[in-house]
Amino acid sequence: MALTFAGRQGLTVSGRPMSLPLKDVRALSRQMVGHFVETVAPCGTLPGDAIHGDITIITRVCLELAVSMLDGSNISEKTGQLEEAAAQWAREGVPIGTIHHAIHEGFKIGFDLVVSTALAEQRASGSADTDPMLAVSTADYRSILDGAKLVVEMLDTMTTAVSAAYVRELRAVVSEHHTAVHTLTSALLGGHPTSTMARECGIDISERYRVIALAIPSHPDESNPVLDAKVVARRKLRRVQAELATRCDDTVLSLLSLLSVDGGTLLIPADHITKGALKELIGHLSRAARVHITATEVTASTDTVPTAADQAHELLDMVTRLGSVPDLYHFDELALEYQLSRPGPAREQLGSLLDPLDEYPELLETLQIHIAHNLNRRRTARLLHVHTNTVDYRLKRIGQLTGFDPAEASGLWRLRSALVARTYRT
């Protein structure tokens, strides 16, 4: 059967239009809506004006669309009405599954009505005294077959119209929300007044935020010459954004998608997430990105968010310079290291303590990796591809050259401080 409905001859059974049982669309639509309220769970929770208004009207439109298709009439106007209704449902948050379930329930009722009416007419004519299905004429049998095929086409037409309009409108809604979140986040990070903007965006401003700086490394596939690196990077970012939306819903104000695939800034209300939960969140984001994400966090009041964001990114830069393992780092845990990174003569003096290692790059590398991996000799040896005895020898040699023994607490503190300061030397 062709998919073009306009101009096609209508289907008949026993010489009467197959659509005849559906002609009283007003009464039938009320019957169907009553059925929806009883059998389609979300419909029962809708307010009365929605059930007797929008739901009933669109059910009537679907019936009129079915009648038009059975009669071979033009359906473009009816599908347009269906698309408008689907767009409105998307904005109101009605699940698309509920819509499709209601459409299929309506088809069951309509199909049963058409078939039962046809069989009743066969019995009344006396041509189906024994088994009405065996006494149907060849013409009626073909019409019923065509009608069954047309049911599939009707469902295809309606579900396609609903799905396309629903997704299109949902994208627009998401875009509007994304723009609102971006605007509000930009205002918070810029230190601008946000009360009026928050009311317009429909987002509550918290008194305190966890300001998080993220560093997302490149995925291995971004270096694959066969693949498009930009596409791989965008897919990585979309996975992170999707995971973030799933885990935090609307509690996160994120600039992540507006910066780059390399990372960004997150603002999470401090009372919505604990340090432990935040660490779990970073782990989930890393698994979504399929790379190890490094994050730094500073908790601040709303009016100090701009300063906190600068500190978080400076802390992230320091952690990256030190070659620390990917993890979540809090400002209060690295306050000393952060202070050592501040410009001044003390930083220059500390950095010079490692000058004796300039001629021994393998010793400097050993010190960096050893400290970055929490003084774990075996891990340091594994990463350097050497024996643990070699690590011990190099650490001893570092102590001899610098005068600070990394095996002693005081010496290790000086060497770690010097390493922080040295990473900022020009």
Side-chain angles (χ1 to χ4, degrees), residues 185 188 206-212 214 244 247-248 250-254 265-274 277-279 281-282 285 297-300 305:
T185 309
L188 282 170
S206 294
E207 294 183 0
R208 293 177 63 78
Y209 281 95
R210 295 195 185 278
V211 184
I212 302 133
L214 291 180
L244 193 60
R247 298 287 172 181
C248 298
D250 294 332
T251 63
V252 178
L253 299 182
S254 170
T265 306
L266 303 180
L267 302 182
I268 304 182
D271 58 353
H272 278 74
I273 192 166
T274 63
L278 182 56
K279 186 177 179 67
L281 173 62
I282 299 303
L285 297 183
E297 180 269 341
V298 179
T299 301
V305 162

PDB file of all heavy atoms in Angstrom, residues 185 188 206-212 214 244 247-248 250-254 265-274 277-279 281-282 285 297-300 305:
ATOM      1  N   THR A 185      25.606  31.420  36.066  1.00  0.00           N
ATOM      2  CA  THR A 185      26.945  31.004  36.488  1.00  0.00           C
ATOM      3  C   THR A 185      27.977  32.069  36.162  1.00  0.00           C
ATOM      4  O   THR A 185      28.875  32.355  36.962  1.00  0.00           O
ATOM      5  CB  THR A 185      27.331  29.676  35.814  1.00  0.00           C
ATOM      6  OG1 THR A 185      26.297  28.734  35.998  1.00  0.00           O
ATOM      7  CG2 THR A 185      28.619  29.133  36.395  1.00  0.00           C
ATOM      8  N   LEU A 188      27.730  34.756  38.732  1.00  0.00           N
ATOM      9  CA  LEU A 188      28.334  34.365  40.009  1.00  0.00           C
ATOM     10  C   LEU A 188      29.855  34.427  39.939  1.00  0.00           C
ATOM     11  O   LEU A 188      30.512  34.933  40.843  1.00  0.00           O
ATOM     12  CB  LEU A 188      27.892  32.943  40.379  1.00  0.00           C
ATOM     13  CG  LEU A 188      26.486  32.791  40.958  1.00  0.00           C
ATOM     14  CD1 LEU A 188      26.112  31.318  41.038  1.00  0.00           C
ATOM     15  CD2 LEU A 188      26.397  33.428  42.333  1.00  0.00           C
ATOM     16  N   SER A 206      22.399  29.627  46.371  1.00  0.00           N
ATOM     17  CA  SER A 206      22.790  29.128  47.688  1.00  0.00           C
ATOM     18  C   SER A 206      23.689  30.136  48.388  1.00  0.00           C
ATOM     19  O   SER A 206      24.272  31.016  47.761  1.00  0.00           O
ATOM     20  CB  SER A 206      23.527  27.791  47.543  1.00  0.00           C
ATOM     21  OG  SER A 206      22.668  26.800  47.045  1.00  0.00           O
ATOM     22  N   GLU A 207      23.792  29.970  49.700  1.00  0.00           N
ATOM     23  CA  GLU A 207      24.649  30.868  50.479  1.00  0.00           C
ATOM     24  C   GLU A 207      26.122  30.508  50.309  1.00  0.00           C
ATOM     25  O   GLU A 207      26.986  31.385  50.362  1.00  0.00           O
ATOM     26  CB  GLU A 207      24.268  30.798  51.957  1.00  0.00           C
ATOM     27  CG  GLU A 207      22.872  31.349  52.251  1.00  0.00           C
ATOM     28  CD  GLU A 207      22.556  31.318  53.740  1.00  0.00           C
ATOM     29  OE1 GLU A 207      23.436  30.859  54.511  1.00  0.00           O
ATOM     30  OE2 GLU A 207      21.465  31.757  54.119  1.00  0.00           O
ATOM     31  N   ARG A 208      26.420  29.204  50.111  1.00  0.00           N
ATOM     32  CA  ARG A 208      27.796  28.752  49.952  1.00  0.00           C
ATOM     33  C   ARG A 208      27.879  27.741  48.807  1.00  0.00           C
ATOM     34  O   ARG A 208      26.933  26.978  48.574  1.00  0.00           O
ATOM     35  CB  ARG A 208      28.316  28.109  51.253  1.00  0.00           C
ATOM     36  CG  ARG A 208      28.460  29.104  52.393  1.00  0.00           C
ATOM     37  CD  ARG A 208      28.899  28.416  53.679  1.00  0.00           C
ATOM     38  NE  ARG A 208      30.215  27.800  53.558  1.00  0.00           N
ATOM     39  CZ  ARG A 208      31.365  28.476  53.618  1.00  0.00           C
ATOM     40  NH1 ARG A 208      31.351  29.790  53.785  1.00  0.00           N
ATOM     41  NH2 ARG A 208      32.517  27.860  53.521  1.00  0.00           N
ATOM     42  N   TYR A 209      29.004  27.760  48.115  1.00  0.00           N
ATOM     43  CA  TYR A 209      29.217  26.854  46.989  1.00  0.00           C
ATOM     44  C   TYR A 209      30.533  26.114  47.119  1.00  0.00           C
ATOM     45  O   TYR A 209      31.509  26.641  47.676  1.00  0.00           O
ATOM     46  CB  TYR A 209      29.219  27.627  45.666  1.00  0.00           C
ATOM     47  CG  TYR A 209      27.848  27.983  45.159  1.00  0.00           C
ATOM     48  CD1 TYR A 209      27.300  29.235  45.439  1.00  0.00           C
ATOM     49  CD2 TYR A 209      27.097  27.082  44.422  1.00  0.00           C
ATOM     50  CE1 TYR A 209      26.030  29.565  44.982  1.00  0.00           C
ATOM     51  CE2 TYR A 209      25.832  27.413  43.964  1.00  0.00           C
ATOM     52  CZ  TYR A 209      25.312  28.656  44.242  1.00  0.00           C
ATOM     53  OH  TYR A 209      24.054  28.976  43.798  1.00  0.00           O
ATOM     54  N   ARG A 210      30.538  24.914  46.592  1.00  0.00           N
ATOM     55  CA  ARG A 210      31.796  24.222  46.350  1.00  0.00           C
ATOM     56  C   ARG A 210      32.214  24.581  44.929  1.00  0.00           C
ATOM     57  O   ARG A 210      31.536  24.213  43.972  1.00  0.00           O
ATOM     58  CB  ARG A 210      31.637  22.708  46.515  1.00  0.00           C
ATOM     59  CG  ARG A 210      31.307  22.289  47.935  1.00  0.00           C
ATOM     60  CD  ARG A 210      31.512  20.793  48.128  1.00  0.00           C
ATOM     61  NE  ARG A 210      31.099  20.352  49.445  1.00  0.00           N
ATOM     62  CZ  ARG A 210      31.833  20.449  50.546  1.00  0.00           C
ATOM     63  NH1 ARG A 210      33.046  20.997  50.471  1.00  0.00           N
ATOM     64  NH2 ARG A 210      31.384  20.021  51.698  1.00  0.00           N
ATOM     65  N   VAL A 211      33.297  25.320  44.822  1.00  0.00           N
ATOM     66  CA  VAL A 211      33.798  25.759  43.513  1.00  0.00           C
ATOM     67  C   VAL A 211      34.852  24.753  43.077  1.00  0.00           C
ATOM     68  O   VAL A 211      35.874  24.580  43.747  1.00  0.00           O
ATOM     69  CB  VAL A 211      34.395  27.171  43.603  1.00  0.00           C
ATOM     70  CG1 VAL A 211      34.828  27.643  42.220  1.00  0.00           C
ATOM     71  CG2 VAL A 211      33.391  28.141  44.212  1.00  0.00           C
ATOM     72  N   ILE A 212      34.593  24.084  41.966  1.00  0.00           N
ATOM     73  CA  ILE A 212      35.446  22.983  41.533  1.00  0.00           C
ATOM     74  C   ILE A 212      36.058  23.289  40.174  1.00  0.00           C
ATOM     75  O   ILE A 212      35.349  23.638  39.226  1.00  0.00           O
ATOM     76  CB  ILE A 212      34.639  21.668  41.439  1.00  0.00           C
ATOM     77  CG1 ILE A 212      34.011  21.350  42.800  1.00  0.00           C
ATOM     78  CG2 ILE A 212      35.514  20.517  40.982  1.00  0.00           C
ATOM     79  CD1 ILE A 212      32.584  20.965  42.726  1.00  0.00           C
ATOM     80  N   LEU A 214      38.102  21.651  37.061  1.00  0.00           N
ATOM     81  CA  LEU A 214      38.313  20.325  36.481  1.00  0.00           C
ATOM     82  C   LEU A 214      39.358  20.369  35.373  1.00  0.00           C
ATOM     83  O   LEU A 214      39.380  21.305  34.572  1.00  0.00           O
ATOM     84  CB  LEU A 214      37.012  19.788  35.870  1.00  0.00           C
ATOM     85  CG  LEU A 214      35.861  19.400  36.793  1.00  0.00           C
ATOM     86  CD1 LEU A 214      34.703  18.895  35.959  1.00  0.00           C
ATOM     87  CD2 LEU A 214      36.298  18.347  37.780  1.00  0.00           C
ATOM     88  N   LEU A 244      27.000  14.261  34.645  1.00  0.00           N
ATOM     89  CA  LEU A 244      26.816  15.345  35.606  1.00  0.00           C
ATOM     90  C   LEU A 244      25.338  15.646  35.800  1.00  0.00           C
ATOM     91  O   LEU A 244      24.859  15.820  36.934  1.00  0.00           O
ATOM     92  CB  LEU A 244      27.551  16.589  35.112  1.00  0.00           C
ATOM     93  CG  LEU A 244      27.760  17.744  36.089  1.00  0.00           C
ATOM     94  CD1 LEU A 244      28.560  17.281  37.293  1.00  0.00           C
ATOM     95  CD2 LEU A 244      28.476  18.889  35.393  1.00  0.00           C
ATOM     96  N   ARG A 247      23.724  12.743  37.802  1.00  0.00           N
ATOM     97  CA  ARG A 247      24.114  12.660  39.208  1.00  0.00           C
ATOM     98  C   ARG A 247      23.639  13.849  40.039  1.00  0.00           C
ATOM     99  O   ARG A 247      23.355  13.723  41.227  1.00  0.00           O
ATOM    100  CB  ARG A 247      25.639  12.555  39.329  1.00  0.00           C
ATOM    101  CG  ARG A 247      26.225  11.321  38.672  1.00  0.00           C
ATOM    102  CD  ARG A 247      25.937  10.078  39.459  1.00  0.00           C
ATOM    103  NE  ARG A 247      26.336   8.878  38.716  1.00  0.00           N
ATOM    104  CZ  ARG A 247      26.184   7.648  39.162  1.00  0.00           C
ATOM    105  NH1 ARG A 247      25.633   7.450  40.339  1.00  0.00           N
ATOM    106  NH2 ARG A 247      26.557   6.618  38.438  1.00  0.00           N
ATOM    107  N   CYS A 248      23.565  15.033  39.412  1.00  0.00           N
ATOM    108  CA  CYS A 248      23.299  16.249  40.192  1.00  0.00           C
ATOM    109  C   CYS A 248      22.002  16.950  39.842  1.00  0.00           C
ATOM    110  O   CYS A 248      21.636  17.921  40.495  1.00  0.00           O
ATOM    111  CB  CYS A 248      24.458  17.235  40.028  1.00  0.00           C
ATOM    112  SG  CYS A 248      26.030  16.604  40.628  1.00  0.00           S
ATOM    113  N   ASP A 250      19.456  19.494  38.757  1.00  0.00           N
ATOM    114  CA  ASP A 250      19.552  20.936  38.553  1.00  0.00           C
ATOM    115  C   ASP A 250      20.346  21.641  39.656  1.00  0.00           C
ATOM    116  O   ASP A 250      20.340  22.866  39.740  1.00  0.00           O
ATOM    117  CB  ASP A 250      18.144  21.558  38.491  1.00  0.00           C
ATOM    118  CG  ASP A 250      17.369  21.089  37.277  1.00  0.00           C
ATOM    119  OD1 ASP A 250      18.018  20.766  36.274  1.00  0.00           O
ATOM    120  OD2 ASP A 250      16.135  21.033  37.342  1.00  0.00           O
ATOM    121  N   THR A 251      21.038  20.877  40.512  1.00  0.00           N
ATOM    122  CA  THR A 251      21.767  21.523  41.599  1.00  0.00           C
ATOM    123  C   THR A 251      23.116  22.054  41.139  1.00  0.00           C
ATOM    124  O   THR A 251      23.783  22.768  41.861  1.00  0.00           O
ATOM    125  CB  THR A 251      22.001  20.531  42.749  1.00  0.00           C
ATOM    126  OG1 THR A 251      22.814  19.450  42.281  1.00  0.00           O
ATOM    127  CG2 THR A 251      20.683  20.001  43.273  1.00  0.00           C
ATOM    128  N   VAL A 252      23.520  21.699  39.920  1.00  0.00           N
ATOM    129  CA  VAL A 252      24.838  22.104  39.439  1.00  0.00           C
ATOM    130  C   VAL A 252      24.726  23.261  38.460  1.00  0.00           C
ATOM    131  O   VAL A 252      23.956  23.225  37.515  1.00  0.00           O
ATOM    132  CB  VAL A 252      25.540  20.912  38.741  1.00  0.00           C
ATOM    133  CG1 VAL A 252      26.885  21.354  38.196  1.00  0.00           C
ATOM    134  CG2 VAL A 252      25.724  19.787  39.726  1.00  0.00           C
ATOM    135  N   LEU A 253      25.486  24.298  38.706  1.00  0.00           N
ATOM    136  CA  LEU A 253      25.638  25.367  37.731  1.00  0.00           C
ATOM    137  C   LEU A 253      26.982  25.126  37.070  1.00  0.00           C
ATOM    138  O   LEU A 253      28.027  25.226  37.696  1.00  0.00           O
ATOM    139  CB  LEU A 253      25.629  26.734  38.426  1.00  0.00           C
ATOM    140  CG  LEU A 253      24.350  27.077  39.192  1.00  0.00           C
ATOM    141  CD1 LEU A 253      24.458  28.467  39.783  1.00  0.00           C
ATOM    142  CD2 LEU A 253      23.149  26.992  38.290  1.00  0.00           C
ATOM    143  N   SER A 254      26.957  24.765  35.804  1.00  0.00           N
ATOM    144  CA  SER A 254      28.191  24.308  35.160  1.00  0.00           C
ATOM    145  C   SER A 254      28.571  25.167  33.969  1.00  0.00           C
ATOM    146  O   SER A 254      27.752  25.524  33.146  1.00  0.00           O
ATOM    147  CB  SER A 254      28.008  22.864  34.685  1.00  0.00           C
ATOM    148  OG  SER A 254      29.076  22.474  33.864  1.00  0.00           O
ATOM    149  N   THR A 265      34.715  24.772  35.042  1.00  0.00           N
ATOM    150  CA  THR A 265      34.375  25.122  36.415  1.00  0.00           C
ATOM    151  C   THR A 265      32.981  24.621  36.759  1.00  0.00           C
ATOM    152  O   THR A 265      32.055  24.785  35.967  1.00  0.00           O
ATOM    153  CB  THR A 265      34.410  26.652  36.607  1.00  0.00           C
ATOM    154  OG1 THR A 265      35.669  27.144  36.181  1.00  0.00           O
ATOM    155  CG2 THR A 265      34.161  27.023  38.057  1.00  0.00           C
ATOM    156  N   LEU A 266      32.843  24.027  37.931  1.00  0.00           N
ATOM    157  CA  LEU A 266      31.549  23.607  38.441  1.00  0.00           C
ATOM    158  C   LEU A 266      31.239  24.374  39.715  1.00  0.00           C
ATOM    159  O   LEU A 266      32.134  24.603  40.537  1.00  0.00           O
ATOM    160  CB  LEU A 266      31.532  22.109  38.762  1.00  0.00           C
ATOM    161  CG  LEU A 266      31.867  21.122  37.650  1.00  0.00           C
ATOM    162  CD1 LEU A 266      31.779  19.713  38.202  1.00  0.00           C
ATOM    163  CD2 LEU A 266      30.933  21.292  36.472  1.00  0.00           C
ATOM    164  N   LEU A 267      29.983  24.750  39.868  1.00  0.00           N
ATOM    165  CA  LEU A 267      29.517  25.359  41.105  1.00  0.00           C
ATOM    166  C   LEU A 267      28.412  24.477  41.662  1.00  0.00           C
ATOM    167  O   LEU A 267      27.355  24.345  41.047  1.00  0.00           O
ATOM    168  CB  LEU A 267      28.977  26.772  40.854  1.00  0.00           C
ATOM    169  CG  LEU A 267      29.923  27.792  40.209  1.00  0.00           C
ATOM    170  CD1 LEU A 267      29.224  29.135  40.081  1.00  0.00           C
ATOM    171  CD2 LEU A 267      31.202  27.936  41.022  1.00  0.00           C
ATOM    172  N   ILE A 268      28.659  23.876  42.823  1.00  0.00           N
ATOM    173  CA  ILE A 268      27.669  23.003  43.450  1.00  0.00           C
ATOM    174  C   ILE A 268      27.329  23.562  44.825  1.00  0.00           C
ATOM    175  O   ILE A 268      28.235  23.823  45.621  1.00  0.00           O
ATOM    176  CB  ILE A 268      28.201  21.570  43.602  1.00  0.00           C
ATOM    177  CG1 ILE A 268      28.647  21.023  42.240  1.00  0.00           C
ATOM    178  CG2 ILE A 268      27.140  20.668  44.211  1.00  0.00           C
ATOM    179  CD1 ILE A 268      29.145  19.596  42.295  1.00  0.00           C
ATOM    180  N   PRO A 269      26.053  23.801  45.104  1.00  0.00           N
ATOM    181  CA  PRO A 269      25.674  24.274  46.449  1.00  0.00           C
ATOM    182  C   PRO A 269      26.308  23.410  47.528  1.00  0.00           C
ATOM    183  O   PRO A 269      26.195  22.178  47.493  1.00  0.00           O
ATOM    184  CB  PRO A 269      24.148  24.160  46.435  1.00  0.00           C
ATOM    185  CG  PRO A 269      23.782  24.324  44.980  1.00  0.00           C
ATOM    186  CD  PRO A 269      24.882  23.640  44.222  1.00  0.00           C
ATOM    187  N   ALA A 270      26.979  24.041  48.481  1.00  0.00           N
ATOM    188  CA  ALA A 270      27.749  23.305  49.486  1.00  0.00           C
ATOM    189  C   ALA A 270      26.888  22.365  50.320  1.00  0.00           C
ATOM    190  O   ALA A 270      27.353  21.302  50.744  1.00  0.00           O
ATOM    191  CB  ALA A 270      28.488  24.291  50.389  1.00  0.00           C
ATOM    192  N   ASP A 271      25.627  22.732  50.539  1.00  0.00           N
ATOM    193  CA  ASP A 271      24.781  21.879  51.371  1.00  0.00           C
ATOM    194  C   ASP A 271      24.159  20.725  50.591  1.00  0.00           C
ATOM    195  O   ASP A 271      23.406  19.928  51.145  1.00  0.00           O
ATOM    196  CB  ASP A 271      23.682  22.711  52.038  1.00  0.00           C
ATOM    197  CG  ASP A 271      22.815  23.444  51.024  1.00  0.00           C
ATOM    198  OD1 ASP A 271      23.156  23.410  49.822  1.00  0.00           O
ATOM    199  OD2 ASP A 271      21.810  24.066  51.426  1.00  0.00           O
ATOM    200  N   HIS A 272      24.468  20.628  49.288  1.00  0.00           N
ATOM    201  CA  HIS A 272      23.928  19.548  48.472  1.00  0.00           C
ATOM    202  C   HIS A 272      24.879  18.361  48.361  1.00  0.00           C
ATOM    203  O   HIS A 272      24.469  17.298  47.868  1.00  0.00           O
ATOM    204  CB  HIS A 272      23.592  20.042  47.058  1.00  0.00           C
ATOM    205  CG  HIS A 272      22.273  20.729  46.962  1.00  0.00           C
ATOM    206  ND1 HIS A 272      22.062  21.997  47.440  1.00  0.00           N
ATOM    207  CD2 HIS A 272      21.085  20.327  46.460  1.00  0.00           C
ATOM    208  CE1 HIS A 272      20.806  22.360  47.221  1.00  0.00           C
ATOM    209  NE2 HIS A 272      20.198  21.355  46.638  1.00  0.00           N
ATOM    210  N   ILE A 273      26.138  18.551  48.753  1.00  0.00           N
ATOM    211  CA  ILE A 273      27.097  17.472  48.529  1.00  0.00           C
ATOM    212  C   ILE A 273      28.213  17.527  49.572  1.00  0.00           C
ATOM    213  O   ILE A 273      28.733  18.596  49.888  1.00  0.00           O
ATOM    214  CB  ILE A 273      27.673  17.557  47.095  1.00  0.00           C
ATOM    215  CG1 ILE A 273      28.441  16.291  46.733  1.00  0.00           C
ATOM    216  CG2 ILE A 273      28.538  18.796  46.907  1.00  0.00           C
ATOM    217  CD1 ILE A 273      28.731  16.175  45.243  1.00  0.00           C
ATOM    218  N   THR A 274      28.556  16.375  50.129  1.00  0.00           N
ATOM    219  CA  THR A 274      29.647  16.286  51.091  1.00  0.00           C
ATOM    220  C   THR A 274      30.961  16.061  50.349  1.00  0.00           C
ATOM    221  O   THR A 274      30.970  15.797  49.130  1.00  0.00           O
ATOM    222  CB  THR A 274      29.415  15.115  52.053  1.00  0.00           C
ATOM    223  OG1 THR A 274      29.415  13.886  51.300  1.00  0.00           O
ATOM    224  CG2 THR A 274      28.079  15.263  52.775  1.00  0.00           C
ATOM    225  N   ALA A 277      30.906  12.551  48.945  1.00  0.00           N
ATOM    226  CA  ALA A 277      30.048  12.424  47.763  1.00  0.00           C
ATOM    227  C   ALA A 277      30.675  13.118  46.563  1.00  0.00           C
ATOM    228  O   ALA A 277      30.532  12.665  45.421  1.00  0.00           O
ATOM    229  CB  ALA A 277      28.675  13.021  48.057  1.00  0.00           C
ATOM    230  N   LEU A 278      31.389  14.218  46.808  1.00  0.00           N
ATOM    231  CA  LEU A 278      32.052  14.937  45.719  1.00  0.00           C
ATOM    232  C   LEU A 278      33.161  14.082  45.115  1.00  0.00           C
ATOM    233  O   LEU A 278      33.335  14.051  43.898  1.00  0.00           O
ATOM    234  CB  LEU A 278      32.615  16.261  46.228  1.00  0.00           C
ATOM    235  CG  LEU A 278      33.297  17.158  45.188  1.00  0.00           C
ATOM    236  CD1 LEU A 278      32.341  17.468  44.039  1.00  0.00           C
ATOM    237  CD2 LEU A 278      33.785  18.448  45.837  1.00  0.00           C
ATOM    238  N   LYS A 279      33.890  13.378  45.970  1.00  0.00           N
ATOM    239  CA  LYS A 279      34.939  12.481  45.481  1.00  0.00           C
ATOM    240  C   LYS A 279      34.333  11.380  44.612  1.00  0.00           C
ATOM    241  O   LYS A 279      34.885  11.032  43.558  1.00  0.00           O
ATOM    242  CB  LYS A 279      35.694  11.869  46.656  1.00  0.00           C
ATOM    243  CG  LYS A 279      36.906  11.025  46.267  1.00  0.00           C
ATOM    244  CD  LYS A 279      37.621  10.518  47.494  1.00  0.00           C
ATOM    245  CE  LYS A 279      38.827   9.658  47.119  1.00  0.00           C
ATOM    246  NZ  LYS A 279      39.887  10.466  46.453  1.00  0.00           N
ATOM    247  N   LEU A 281      31.558  11.645  42.931  1.00  0.00           N
ATOM    248  CA  LEU A 281      31.105  12.285  41.697  1.00  0.00           C
ATOM    249  C   LEU A 281      32.254  12.405  40.703  1.00  0.00           C
ATOM    250  O   LEU A 281      32.085  12.110  39.505  1.00  0.00           O
ATOM    251  CB  LEU A 281      30.530  13.673  42.006  1.00  0.00           C
ATOM    252  CG  LEU A 281      30.160  14.528  40.789  1.00  0.00           C
ATOM    253  CD1 LEU A 281      29.061  13.848  39.977  1.00  0.00           C
ATOM    254  CD2 LEU A 281      29.726  15.921  41.221  1.00  0.00           C
ATOM    255  N   ILE A 282      33.434  12.839  41.175  1.00  0.00           N
ATOM    256  CA  ILE A 282      34.586  12.961  40.272  1.00  0.00           C
ATOM    257  C   ILE A 282      34.946  11.597  39.699  1.00  0.00           C
ATOM    258  O   ILE A 282      35.311  11.475  38.524  1.00  0.00           O
ATOM    259  CB  ILE A 282      35.791  13.577  41.019  1.00  0.00           C
ATOM    260  CG1 ILE A 282      35.439  14.980  41.526  1.00  0.00           C
ATOM    261  CG2 ILE A 282      37.007  13.645  40.097  1.00  0.00           C
ATOM    262  CD1 ILE A 282      34.991  15.947  40.455  1.00  0.00           C
ATOM    263  N   LEU A 285      32.501  10.890  36.925  1.00  0.00           N
ATOM    264  CA  LEU A 285      32.814  11.690  35.744  1.00  0.00           C
ATOM    265  C   LEU A 285      34.018  11.120  35.006  1.00  0.00           C
ATOM    266  O   LEU A 285      34.053  11.121  33.768  1.00  0.00           O
ATOM    267  CB  LEU A 285      33.085  13.145  36.152  1.00  0.00           C
ATOM    268  CG  LEU A 285      31.921  13.914  36.785  1.00  0.00           C
ATOM    269  CD1 LEU A 285      32.327  15.353  37.076  1.00  0.00           C
ATOM    270  CD2 LEU A 285      30.692  13.885  35.894  1.00  0.00           C
ATOM    271  N   GLU A 297      39.031  21.733  44.751  1.00  0.00           N
ATOM    272  CA  GLU A 297      37.805  22.308  45.306  1.00  0.00           C
ATOM    273  C   GLU A 297      38.103  23.354  46.366  1.00  0.00           C
ATOM    274  O   GLU A 297      39.004  23.180  47.204  1.00  0.00           O
ATOM    275  CB  GLU A 297      36.962  21.183  45.919  1.00  0.00           C
ATOM    276  CG  GLU A 297      35.647  21.623  46.540  1.00  0.00           C
ATOM    277  CD  GLU A 297      35.771  21.974  48.022  1.00  0.00           C
ATOM    278  OE1 GLU A 297      36.759  21.543  48.646  1.00  0.00           O
ATOM    279  OE2 GLU A 297      34.894  22.698  48.546  1.00  0.00           O
ATOM    280  N   VAL A 298      37.360  24.453  46.276  1.00  0.00           N
ATOM    281  CA  VAL A 298      37.418  25.516  47.273  1.00  0.00           C
ATOM    282  C   VAL A 298      35.977  25.833  47.668  1.00  0.00           C
ATOM    283  O   VAL A 298      35.138  26.073  46.796  1.00  0.00           O
ATOM    284  CB  VAL A 298      38.104  26.786  46.734  1.00  0.00           C
ATOM    285  CG1 VAL A 298      38.126  27.877  47.809  1.00  0.00           C
ATOM    286  CG2 VAL A 298      39.514  26.477  46.259  1.00  0.00           C
ATOM    287  N   THR A 299      35.670  25.823  48.959  1.00  0.00           N
ATOM    288  CA  THR A 299      34.330  26.173  49.428  1.00  0.00           C
ATOM    289  C   THR A 299      34.297  27.652  49.773  1.00  0.00           C
ATOM    290  O   THR A 299      35.202  28.160  50.444  1.00  0.00           O
ATOM    291  CB  THR A 299      33.951  25.342  50.659  1.00  0.00           C
ATOM    292  OG1 THR A 299      33.998  23.954  50.312  1.00  0.00           O
ATOM    293  CG2 THR A 299      32.545  25.676  51.132  1.00  0.00           C
ATOM    294  N   ALA A 300      33.262  28.349  49.288  1.00  0.00           N
ATOM    295  CA  ALA A 300      33.216  29.801  49.494  1.00  0.00           C
ATOM    296  C   ALA A 300      31.784  30.283  49.576  1.00  0.00           C
ATOM    297  O   ALA A 300      30.852  29.636  49.082  1.00  0.00           O
ATOM    298  CB  ALA A 300      33.931  30.513  48.349  1.00  0.00           C
ATOM    299  N   VAL A 305      32.736  33.818  45.431  1.00  0.00           N
ATOM    300  CA  VAL A 305      32.883  32.791  44.395  1.00  0.00           C
ATOM    301  C   VAL A 305      33.946  33.165  43.359  1.00  0.00           C
ATOM    302  O   VAL A 305      34.750  32.310  42.966  1.00  0.00           O
ATOM    303  CB  VAL A 305      31.527  32.502  43.720  1.00  0.00           C
ATOM    304  CG1 VAL A 305      31.714  31.783  42.383  1.00  0.00           C
ATOM    305  CG2 VAL A 305      30.653  31.656  44.632  1.00  0.00           C
TER     306      VAL A 305
END
